[in-house]
Amino acid sequence: MRLDQRRTPEQVVATAFRALGTRKSSVVDGRRNALLARVFSRRLPESLTLSLARHLARPRPAA
């Protein structure tokens, strides 16, 4: 999976169900989200991280 591909609802649900069986307090679905969570949230100010997350979460126009 490439970093710019969107995860399907089924993939997100599968990740959530797998996480239910672990002792982790949180789970991040997808490579891009994991990258954002690990790198950007620790290195950028919170306001910039939130702005970037909002931008990435916006629906893309149909091609």
Tab-separated table of all heavy atoms in Angstrom:
chain	number	residue	atom	x	y	z
A	1	MET	N	0.845	-1.191	0.000
A	1	MET	CA	0.000	0.000	0.000
A	1	MET	C	0.878	1.237	0.000
A	1	MET	O	1.814	1.343	0.762
A	1	MET	CB	-0.906	-0.008	1.229
A	1	MET	CG	-1.686	1.258	1.370
A	1	MET	SD	-2.765	1.294	2.771
A	1	MET	CE	-4.257	0.831	1.970
A	2	ARG	N	0.549	2.155	-0.884
A	2	ARG	CA	1.273	3.418	-0.947
A	2	ARG	C	0.782	4.352	0.143
A	2	ARG	O	-0.310	4.195	0.670
A	2	ARG	CB	1.055	4.052	-2.308
A	2	ARG	CG	1.634	3.228	-3.432
A	2	ARG	CD	1.418	3.820	-4.799
A	2	ARG	NE	0.814	5.130	-4.803
A	2	ARG	CZ	-0.042	5.547	-5.709
A	2	ARG	NH1	-0.413	4.761	-6.676
A	2	ARG	NH2	-0.545	6.757	-5.652
A	3	LEU	N	1.606	5.351	0.466
A	3	LEU	CA	1.239	6.298	1.514
A	3	LEU	C	0.046	7.160	1.135
A	3	LEU	O	-0.670	7.630	2.005
A	3	LEU	CB	2.419	7.207	1.854
A	3	LEU	CG	3.517	6.600	2.692
A	3	LEU	CD1	4.639	7.616	2.872
A	3	LEU	CD2	3.011	6.147	4.037
A	4	ASP	N	-0.192	7.375	-0.152
A	4	ASP	CA	-1.273	8.272	-0.553
A	4	ASP	C	-2.597	7.552	-0.816
A	4	ASP	O	-3.574	8.187	-1.181
A	4	ASP	CB	-0.873	9.095	-1.771
A	4	ASP	CG	-0.619	8.240	-3.001
A	4	ASP	OD1	-0.409	7.029	-2.851
A	4	ASP	OD2	-0.608	8.799	-4.106
A	5	GLN	N	-2.650	6.251	-0.634
A	5	GLN	CA	-3.898	5.522	-0.846
A	5	GLN	C	-4.786	5.614	0.393
A	5	GLN	O	-4.308	5.525	1.517
A	5	GLN	CB	-3.634	4.053	-1.150
A	5	GLN	CG	-3.107	3.827	-2.543
A	5	GLN	CD	-2.905	2.346	-2.823
A	5	GLN	OE1	-2.465	1.617	-1.955
A	5	GLN	NE2	-3.237	1.933	-4.016
A	6	ARG	N	-6.066	5.776	0.155
A	6	ARG	CA	-7.034	5.816	1.242
A	6	ARG	C	-7.356	4.406	1.699
A	6	ARG	O	-7.398	3.487	0.896
A	6	ARG	CB	-8.333	6.498	0.782
A	6	ARG	CG	-8.169	7.926	0.374
A	6	ARG	CD	-8.182	8.803	1.576
A	6	ARG	NE	-7.993	10.189	1.181
A	6	ARG	CZ	-8.491	11.186	1.855
A	6	ARG	NH1	-9.207	10.988	2.916
A	6	ARG	NH2	-8.260	12.406	1.463
A	7	ARG	N	-7.595	4.237	2.985
A	7	ARG	CA	-7.990	2.946	3.538
A	7	ARG	C	-9.498	2.796	3.362
A	7	ARG	O	-10.254	3.749	3.509
A	7	ARG	CB	-7.639	2.869	5.023
A	7	ARG	CG	-6.175	3.117	5.334
A	7	ARG	CD	-5.346	1.893	5.241
A	7	ARG	NE	-5.756	0.992	6.320
A	7	ARG	CZ	-5.435	-0.287	6.369
A	7	ARG	NH1	-4.719	-0.812	5.432
A	7	ARG	NH2	-5.833	-1.041	7.348
A	8	THR	N	-9.936	1.590	3.069
A	8	THR	CA	-11.364	1.337	2.934
A	8	THR	C	-11.970	1.223	4.328
A	8	THR	O	-11.263	0.926	5.306
A	8	THR	CB	-11.634	0.034	2.172
A	8	THR	OG1	-11.159	-1.068	2.951
A	8	THR	CG2	-10.967	0.051	0.804
A	9	PRO	N	-13.266	1.450	4.455
A	9	PRO	CA	-13.913	1.254	5.757
A	9	PRO	C	-13.680	-0.160	6.302
A	9	PRO	O	-13.476	-0.335	7.512
A	9	PRO	CB	-15.389	1.509	5.470
A	9	PRO	CG	-15.384	2.426	4.284
A	9	PRO	CD	-14.202	1.991	3.460
A	10	GLU	N	-13.669	-1.138	5.422
A	10	GLU	CA	-13.454	-2.517	5.858
A	10	GLU	C	-12.066	-2.698	6.460
A	10	GLU	O	-11.888	-3.406	7.448
A	10	GLU	CB	-13.653	-3.486	4.689
A	10	GLU	CG	-15.081	-3.577	4.199
A	10	GLU	CD	-15.506	-2.428	3.283
A	10	GLU	OE1	-14.646	-1.625	2.847
A	10	GLU	OE2	-16.718	-2.326	3.017
A	11	GLN	N	-11.059	-2.045	5.873
A	11	GLN	CA	-9.703	-2.134	6.400
A	11	GLN	C	-9.599	-1.477	7.774
A	11	GLN	O	-8.946	-1.998	8.681
A	11	GLN	CB	-8.714	-1.484	5.436
A	11	GLN	CG	-8.528	-2.246	4.148
A	11	GLN	CD	-7.715	-1.465	3.146
A	11	GLN	OE1	-7.923	-0.260	2.957
A	11	GLN	NE2	-6.796	-2.147	2.481
A	12	VAL	N	-10.245	-0.334	7.929
A	12	VAL	CA	-10.214	0.374	9.205
A	12	VAL	C	-10.892	-0.460	10.287
A	12	VAL	O	-10.379	-0.602	11.402
A	12	VAL	CB	-10.875	1.763	9.073
A	12	VAL	CG1	-10.971	2.453	10.423
A	12	VAL	CG2	-10.110	2.618	8.078
A	13	VAL	N	-12.039	-1.052	9.961
A	13	VAL	CA	-12.755	-1.886	10.923
A	13	VAL	C	-11.925	-3.110	11.292
A	13	VAL	O	-11.845	-3.488	12.466
A	13	VAL	CB	-14.141	-2.300	10.369
A	13	VAL	CG1	-14.776	-3.371	11.227
A	13	VAL	CG2	-15.041	-1.075	10.274
A	14	ALA	N	-11.265	-3.719	10.313
A	14	ALA	CA	-10.423	-4.881	10.597
A	14	ALA	C	-9.294	-4.510	11.551
A	14	ALA	O	-8.992	-5.261	12.494
A	14	ALA	CB	-9.860	-5.459	9.301
A	15	THR	N	-8.688	-3.358	11.355
A	15	THR	CA	-7.638	-2.894	12.264
A	15	THR	C	-8.199	-2.683	13.667
A	15	THR	O	-7.583	-3.074	14.658
A	15	THR	CB	-7.017	-1.581	11.749
A	15	THR	OG1	-6.443	-1.825	10.467
A	15	THR	CG2	-5.949	-1.070	12.682
A	16	ALA	N	-9.379	-2.090	13.748
A	16	ALA	CA	-9.997	-1.845	15.055
A	16	ALA	C	-10.300	-3.154	15.779
A	16	ALA	O	-10.031	-3.292	16.978
A	16	ALA	CB	-11.270	-1.028	14.883
A	17	PHE	N	-10.826	-4.132	15.065
A	17	PHE	CA	-11.132	-5.418	15.695
A	17	PHE	C	-9.863	-6.136	16.143
A	17	PHE	O	-9.829	-6.741	17.204
A	17	PHE	CB	-11.953	-6.314	14.769
A	17	PHE	CG	-13.419	-5.991	14.784
A	17	PHE	CD1	-14.092	-5.757	13.605
A	17	PHE	CD2	-14.124	-5.917	15.977
A	17	PHE	CE1	-15.449	-5.462	13.611
A	17	PHE	CE2	-15.472	-5.612	15.994
A	17	PHE	CZ	-16.139	-5.382	14.815
A	18	ARG	N	-8.800	-6.065	15.341
A	18	ARG	CA	-7.525	-6.671	15.752
A	18	ARG	C	-7.001	-5.991	17.012
A	18	ARG	O	-6.447	-6.633	17.894
A	18	ARG	CB	-6.491	-6.562	14.645
A	18	ARG	CG	-6.606	-7.637	13.599
A	18	ARG	CD	-5.373	-7.707	12.711
A	18	ARG	NE	-4.982	-6.418	12.134
A	18	ARG	CZ	-5.459	-5.923	11.007
A	18	ARG	NH1	-6.375	-6.581	10.319
A	18	ARG	NH2	-5.052	-4.761	10.557
A	19	ALA	N	-7.174	-4.686	17.104
A	19	ALA	CA	-6.673	-3.934	18.253
A	19	ALA	C	-7.433	-4.261	19.529
A	19	ALA	O	-6.885	-4.129	20.626
A	19	ALA	CB	-6.748	-2.434	17.975
A	20	LEU	N	-8.682	-4.690	19.393
A	20	LEU	CA	-9.454	-5.030	20.591
A	20	LEU	C	-8.810	-6.163	21.378
A	20	LEU	O	-8.969	-6.251	22.582
A	20	LEU	CB	-10.886	-5.415	20.210
A	20	LEU	CG	-11.786	-4.275	19.785
A	20	LEU	CD1	-13.126	-4.830	19.293
A	20	LEU	CD2	-12.010	-3.306	20.931
A	21	GLY	N	-8.081	-7.024	20.709
A	21	GLY	CA	-7.445	-8.150	21.381
A	21	GLY	C	-6.083	-7.841	21.966
A	21	GLY	O	-5.413	-8.736	22.482
A	22	THR	N	-5.642	-6.608	21.907
A	22	THR	CA	-4.329	-6.239	22.428
A	22	THR	C	-4.482	-5.406	23.695
A	22	THR	O	-5.584	-5.015	24.068
A	22	THR	CB	-3.529	-5.425	21.399
A	22	THR	OG1	-4.141	-4.151	21.237
A	22	THR	CG2	-3.460	-6.139	20.060
A	23	ARG	N	-3.381	-5.128	24.314
A	23	ARG	CA	-3.397	-4.300	25.530
A	23	ARG	C	-2.999	-2.857	25.238
A	23	ARG	O	-2.688	-2.111	26.148
A	23	ARG	CB	-2.460	-4.903	26.572
A	23	ARG	CG	-2.878	-6.291	26.964
A	23	ARG	CD	-2.096	-6.776	28.112
A	23	ARG	NE	-3.067	-7.388	29.018
A	23	ARG	CZ	-2.863	-7.620	30.274
A	23	ARG	NH1	-1.719	-7.313	30.808
A	23	ARG	NH2	-3.799	-8.159	31.019
A	24	LYS	N	-3.010	-2.479	23.974
A	24	LYS	CA	-2.645	-1.108	23.611
A	24	LYS	C	-3.770	-0.153	23.986
A	24	LYS	O	-4.941	-0.484	23.867
A	24	LYS	CB	-2.375	-1.011	22.112
A	24	LYS	CG	-1.166	-1.788	21.660
A	24	LYS	CD	-0.969	-1.627	20.175
A	24	LYS	CE	0.227	-2.395	19.694
A	24	LYS	NZ	0.429	-2.248	18.252
A	25	SER	N	-3.382	1.051	24.393
A	25	SER	CA	-4.391	2.044	24.767
A	25	SER	C	-4.940	2.775	23.549
A	25	SER	O	-5.975	3.430	23.633
A	25	SER	CB	-3.813	3.045	25.762
A	25	SER	OG	-2.708	3.708	25.192
A	26	SER	N	-4.233	2.687	22.425
A	26	SER	CA	-4.718	3.313	21.196
A	26	SER	C	-4.151	2.550	20.009
A	26	SER	O	-3.208	1.779	20.132
A	26	SER	CB	-4.293	4.782	21.126
A	26	SER	OG	-2.885	4.871	21.047
A	27	VAL	N	-4.746	2.799	18.857
A	27	VAL	CA	-4.276	2.177	17.620
A	27	VAL	C	-4.387	3.198	16.504
A	27	VAL	O	-5.296	4.030	16.492
A	27	VAL	CB	-5.075	0.892	17.287
A	27	VAL	CG1	-6.531	1.219	17.015
A	27	VAL	CG2	-4.477	0.157	16.106
A	28	VAL	N	-3.417	3.165	15.578
A	28	VAL	CA	-3.424	4.054	14.427
A	28	VAL	C	-3.527	3.189	13.186
A	28	VAL	O	-2.734	2.269	12.996
A	28	VAL	CB	-2.141	4.914	14.376
A	28	VAL	CG1	-2.133	5.792	13.140
A	28	VAL	CG2	-2.015	5.750	15.637
A	29	ASP	N	-4.507	3.469	12.359
A	29	ASP	CA	-4.733	2.669	11.159
A	29	ASP	C	-4.053	3.291	9.954
A	29	ASP	O	-4.208	4.484	9.696
A	29	ASP	CB	-6.239	2.548	10.887
A	29	ASP	CG	-6.505	1.716	9.667
A	29	ASP	OD1	-6.248	0.506	9.709
A	29	ASP	OD2	-6.940	2.292	8.656
A	30	GLY	N	-3.314	2.506	9.210
A	30	GLY	CA	-2.717	2.951	7.958
A	30	GLY	C	-1.332	3.542	8.118
A	30	GLY	O	-0.993	4.120	9.145
A	31	ARG	N	-0.537	3.367	7.079
A	31	ARG	CA	0.853	3.847	7.121
A	31	ARG	C	0.952	5.362	7.204
A	31	ARG	O	1.761	5.899	7.953
A	31	ARG	CB	1.600	3.358	5.888
A	31	ARG	CG	1.844	1.881	5.900
A	31	ARG	CD	2.595	1.467	4.670
A	31	ARG	NE	2.742	0.024	4.653
A	31	ARG	CZ	3.156	-0.647	3.629
A	31	ARG	NH1	3.478	-0.036	2.514
A	31	ARG	NH2	3.270	-1.957	3.684
A	32	ARG	N	0.127	6.045	6.415
A	32	ARG	CA	0.192	7.510	6.439
A	32	ARG	C	-0.203	8.049	7.814
A	32	ARG	O	0.458	8.943	8.353
A	32	ARG	CB	-0.705	8.109	5.359
A	32	ARG	CG	-0.645	9.623	5.360
A	32	ARG	CD	-1.448	10.226	4.269
A	32	ARG	NE	-2.835	9.819	4.351
A	32	ARG	CZ	-3.764	10.244	3.539
A	32	ARG	NH1	-3.467	11.045	2.561
A	32	ARG	NH2	-5.003	9.854	3.689
A	33	ASN	N	-1.247	7.497	8.381
A	33	ASN	CA	-1.679	7.936	9.706
A	33	ASN	C	-0.624	7.620	10.756
A	33	ASN	O	-0.389	8.414	11.664
A	33	ASN	CB	-3.006	7.286	10.072
A	33	ASN	CG	-4.140	7.797	9.227
A	33	ASN	OD1	-4.080	8.899	8.705
A	33	ASN	ND2	-5.167	6.994	9.070
A	34	ALA	N	0.020	6.464	10.641
A	34	ALA	CA	1.075	6.101	11.585
A	34	ALA	C	2.250	7.075	11.461
A	34	ALA	O	2.823	7.505	12.466
A	34	ALA	CB	1.526	4.671	11.346
A	35	LEU	N	2.587	7.418	10.226
A	35	LEU	CA	3.667	8.376	10.012
A	35	LEU	C	3.324	9.724	10.644
A	35	LEU	O	4.144	10.317	11.352
A	35	LEU	CB	3.923	8.545	8.516
A	35	LEU	CG	4.988	9.562	8.129
A	35	LEU	CD1	6.359	9.100	8.586
A	35	LEU	CD2	4.979	9.783	6.634
A	36	LEU	N	2.109	10.186	10.397
A	36	LEU	CA	1.690	11.460	10.998
A	36	LEU	C	1.713	11.393	12.514
A	36	LEU	O	2.190	12.310	13.181
A	36	LEU	CB	0.285	11.826	10.518
A	36	LEU	CG	0.171	12.328	9.094
A	36	LEU	CD1	-1.291	12.458	8.694
A	36	LEU	CD2	0.882	13.650	8.945
A	37	ALA	N	1.207	10.321	13.056
A	37	ALA	CA	1.125	10.193	14.511
A	37	ALA	C	2.506	10.138	15.153
A	37	ALA	O	2.732	10.739	16.198
A	37	ALA	CB	0.329	8.944	14.878
A	38	ARG	N	3.425	9.441	14.524
A	38	ARG	CA	4.752	9.258	15.128
A	38	ARG	C	5.680	10.437	14.924
A	38	ARG	O	6.413	10.820	15.830
A	38	ARG	CB	5.406	8.008	14.558
A	38	ARG	CG	4.748	6.762	15.042
A	38	ARG	CD	5.470	5.543	14.539
A	38	ARG	NE	4.703	4.357	14.888
A	38	ARG	CZ	4.488	3.354	14.090
A	38	ARG	NH1	4.998	3.352	12.879
A	38	ARG	NH2	3.777	2.322	14.489
A	39	VAL	N	5.672	10.994	13.738
A	39	VAL	CA	6.652	12.015	13.407
A	39	VAL	C	6.126	13.424	13.636
A	39	VAL	O	6.671	14.184	14.429
A	39	VAL	CB	7.149	11.856	11.951
A	39	VAL	CG1	8.112	12.968	11.577
A	39	VAL	CG2	7.805	10.505	11.770
A	40	PHE	N	5.055	13.761	12.922
A	40	PHE	CA	4.586	15.140	12.952
A	40	PHE	C	4.085	15.575	14.321
A	40	PHE	O	4.358	16.684	14.756
A	40	PHE	CB	3.501	15.370	11.911
A	40	PHE	CG	3.986	15.244	10.491
A	40	PHE	CD1	3.175	14.715	9.517
A	40	PHE	CD2	5.256	15.645	10.142
A	40	PHE	CE1	3.622	14.592	8.208
A	40	PHE	CE2	5.714	15.535	8.842
A	40	PHE	CZ	4.891	15.002	7.878
A	41	SER	N	3.362	14.721	15.003
A	41	SER	CA	2.777	15.145	16.275
A	41	SER	C	3.840	15.384	17.339
A	41	SER	O	3.605	16.111	18.299
A	41	SER	CB	1.761	14.119	16.765
A	41	SER	OG	2.417	12.912	17.103
A	42	ARG	N	5.005	14.809	17.174
A	42	ARG	CA	6.074	15.004	18.160
A	42	ARG	C	7.012	16.148	17.791
A	42	ARG	O	7.736	16.646	18.640
A	42	ARG	CB	6.878	13.717	18.298
A	42	ARG	CG	6.057	12.626	18.911
A	42	ARG	CD	6.858	11.395	19.125
A	42	ARG	NE	5.986	10.364	19.702
A	42	ARG	CZ	6.184	9.084	19.559
A	42	ARG	NH1	7.221	8.645	18.903
A	42	ARG	NH2	5.355	8.223	20.100
A	43	ARG	N	7.020	16.525	16.533
A	43	ARG	CA	7.996	17.509	16.071
A	43	ARG	C	7.394	18.867	15.706
A	43	ARG	O	8.117	19.841	15.610
A	43	ARG	CB	8.747	16.961	14.867
A	43	ARG	CG	9.410	15.634	15.143
A	43	ARG	CD	10.675	15.504	14.363
A	43	ARG	NE	11.257	14.186	14.485
A	43	ARG	CZ	12.054	13.807	15.465
A	43	ARG	NH1	12.329	14.647	16.420
A	43	ARG	NH2	12.569	12.606	15.503
A	44	LEU	N	6.096	18.899	15.486
A	44	LEU	CA	5.445	20.145	15.090
A	44	LEU	C	4.554	20.660	16.213
A	44	LEU	O	4.060	19.879	17.021
A	44	LEU	CB	4.575	19.911	13.844
A	44	LEU	CG	5.295	19.465	12.577
A	44	LEU	CD1	4.283	19.176	11.480
A	44	LEU	CD2	6.281	20.517	12.115
A	45	PRO	N	4.317	21.957	16.234
A	45	PRO	CA	3.359	22.491	17.197
A	45	PRO	C	1.976	21.859	16.974
A	45	PRO	O	1.617	21.516	15.841
A	45	PRO	CB	3.315	23.984	16.901
A	45	PRO	CG	4.545	24.270	16.112
A	45	PRO	CD	4.916	23.009	15.420
A	46	GLU	N	1.217	21.716	18.041
A	46	GLU	CA	-0.095	21.062	17.958
A	46	GLU	C	-1.006	21.750	16.948
A	46	GLU	O	-1.719	21.083	16.199
A	46	GLU	CB	-0.752	21.034	19.332
A	46	GLU	CG	-2.053	20.277	19.343
A	46	GLU	CD	-2.666	20.198	20.723
A	46	GLU	OE1	-2.081	20.710	21.684
A	46	GLU	OE2	-3.760	19.619	20.829
A	47	SER	N	-0.996	23.066	16.899
A	47	SER	CA	-1.885	23.778	15.972
A	47	SER	C	-1.545	23.430	14.523
A	47	SER	O	-2.447	23.250	13.696
A	47	SER	CB	-1.786	25.282	16.190
A	47	SER	OG	-0.461	25.731	15.960
A	48	LEU	N	-0.272	23.301	14.199
A	48	LEU	CA	0.120	22.945	12.841
A	48	LEU	C	-0.237	21.492	12.532
A	48	LEU	O	-0.701	21.178	11.438
A	48	LEU	CB	1.614	23.184	12.655
A	48	LEU	CG	2.173	22.975	11.258
A	48	LEU	CD1	1.436	23.845	10.237
A	48	LEU	CD2	3.655	23.294	11.241
A	49	THR	N	-0.056	20.615	13.502
A	49	THR	CA	-0.418	19.206	13.330
A	49	THR	C	-1.913	19.069	13.066
A	49	THR	O	-2.331	18.328	12.170
A	49	THR	CB	-0.030	18.386	14.571
A	49	THR	OG1	1.382	18.523	14.785
A	49	THR	CG2	-0.369	16.928	14.406
A	50	LEU	N	-2.745	19.780	13.816
A	50	LEU	CA	-4.190	19.721	13.625
A	50	LEU	C	-4.596	20.278	12.266
A	50	LEU	O	-5.461	19.724	11.588
A	50	LEU	CB	-4.905	20.469	14.744
A	50	LEU	CG	-4.824	19.821	16.118
A	50	LEU	CD1	-5.420	20.748	17.176
A	50	LEU	CD2	-5.511	18.482	16.122
A	51	SER	N	-3.968	21.358	11.855
A	51	SER	CA	-4.266	21.936	10.550
A	51	SER	C	-3.907	20.965	9.433
A	51	SER	O	-4.674	20.784	8.481
A	51	SER	CB	-3.486	23.248	10.387
A	51	SER	OG	-3.680	23.777	9.116
A	52	LEU	N	-2.764	20.319	9.541
A	52	LEU	CA	-2.348	19.332	8.550
A	52	LEU	C	-3.306	18.140	8.527
A	52	LEU	O	-3.695	17.671	7.466
A	52	LEU	CB	-0.922	18.864	8.849
A	52	LEU	CG	-0.331	17.838	7.904
A	52	LEU	CD1	-0.277	18.379	6.485
A	52	LEU	CD2	1.049	17.429	8.379
A	53	ALA	N	-3.712	17.676	9.688
A	53	ALA	CA	-4.649	16.552	9.758
A	53	ALA	C	-5.989	16.911	9.124
A	53	ALA	O	-6.573	16.100	8.395
A	53	ALA	CB	-4.844	16.129	11.209
A	54	ARG	N	-6.480	18.116	9.371
A	54	ARG	CA	-7.731	18.551	8.744
A	54	ARG	C	-7.592	18.573	7.227
A	54	ARG	O	-8.487	18.139	6.499
A	54	ARG	CB	-8.127	19.937	9.254
A	54	ARG	CG	-8.908	19.923	10.543
A	54	ARG	CD	-9.521	21.280	10.831
A	54	ARG	NE	-8.516	22.292	11.109
A	54	ARG	CZ	-7.989	22.523	12.316
A	54	ARG	NH1	-8.376	21.818	13.342
A	54	ARG	NH2	-7.087	23.449	12.470
A	55	HIS	N	-6.475	19.072	6.749
A	55	HIS	CA	-6.247	19.131	5.302
A	55	HIS	C	-6.223	17.729	4.693
A	55	HIS	O	-6.837	17.479	3.652
A	55	HIS	CB	-4.937	19.853	5.006
A	55	HIS	CG	-4.540	19.828	3.575
A	55	HIS	ND1	-5.171	20.593	2.621
A	55	HIS	CD2	-3.605	19.114	2.920
A	55	HIS	CE1	-4.623	20.355	1.439
A	55	HIS	NE2	-3.668	19.452	1.596
A	56	LEU	N	-5.549	16.788	5.332
A	56	LEU	CA	-5.445	15.436	4.806
A	56	LEU	C	-6.762	14.670	4.900
A	56	LEU	O	-7.006	13.759	4.110
A	56	LEU	CB	-4.343	14.669	5.532
A	56	LEU	CG	-2.930	15.161	5.248
A	56	LEU	CD1	-1.938	14.460	6.158
A	56	LEU	CD2	-2.572	14.955	3.793
A	57	ALA	N	-7.611	15.028	5.846
A	57	ALA	CA	-8.871	14.313	6.041
A	57	ALA	C	-9.977	14.817	5.120
A	57	ALA	O	-11.014	14.168	4.990
A	57	ALA	CB	-9.318	14.437	7.501
A	58	ARG	N	-9.773	15.966	4.475
A	58	ARG	CA	-10.786	16.510	3.577
A	58	ARG	C	-11.054	15.570	2.419
A	58	ARG	O	-10.119	14.970	1.882
A	58	ARG	CB	-10.326	17.841	3.011
A	58	ARG	CG	-10.863	19.032	3.766
A	58	ARG	CD	-10.542	20.274	3.032
A	58	ARG	NE	-9.080	20.409	3.114
A	58	ARG	CZ	-8.409	21.459	2.724
A	58	ARG	NH1	-9.004	22.466	2.178
A	58	ARG	NH2	-7.098	21.515	2.850
A	59	PRO	N	-12.300	15.444	2.033
A	59	PRO	CA	-12.619	14.593	0.868
A	59	PRO	C	-11.950	15.139	-0.379
A	59	PRO	O	-11.873	16.344	-0.592
A	59	PRO	CB	-14.141	14.697	0.744
A	59	PRO	CG	-14.611	15.208	2.044
A	59	PRO	CD	-13.505	16.010	2.638
A	60	ARG	N	-11.480	14.244	-1.194
A	60	ARG	CA	-10.843	14.630	-2.458
A	60	ARG	C	-11.910	14.650	-3.549
A	60	ARG	O	-12.816	13.837	-3.536
A	60	ARG	CB	-9.763	13.627	-2.831
A	60	ARG	CG	-8.623	13.618	-1.872
A	60	ARG	CD	-7.601	12.607	-2.302
A	60	ARG	NE	-6.544	12.516	-1.313
A	60	ARG	CZ	-5.544	11.682	-1.390
A	60	ARG	NH1	-5.480	10.831	-2.399
A	60	ARG	NH2	-4.624	11.650	-0.465
A	61	PRO	N	-11.766	15.568	-4.504
A	61	PRO	CA	-12.720	15.568	-5.624
A	61	PRO	C	-12.557	14.291	-6.450
A	61	PRO	O	-11.455	13.760	-6.572
A	61	PRO	CB	-12.337	16.803	-6.435
A	61	PRO	CG	-11.036	17.280	-5.909
A	61	PRO	CD	-10.800	16.632	-4.583
A	62	ALA	N	-13.646	13.827	-6.987
A	62	ALA	CA	-13.610	12.606	-7.819
A	62	ALA	C	-12.796	12.876	-9.075
A	62	ALA	O	-12.873	13.944	-9.668
A	62	ALA	CB	-15.026	12.185	-8.174
A	63	ALA	N	-12.025	11.891	-9.453
A	63	ALA	CA	-11.154	12.057	-10.631
A	63	ALA	C	-11.892	11.782	-11.916
A	63	ALA	O	-12.871	11.192	-12.027
A	63	ALA	CB	-9.962	11.110	-10.531
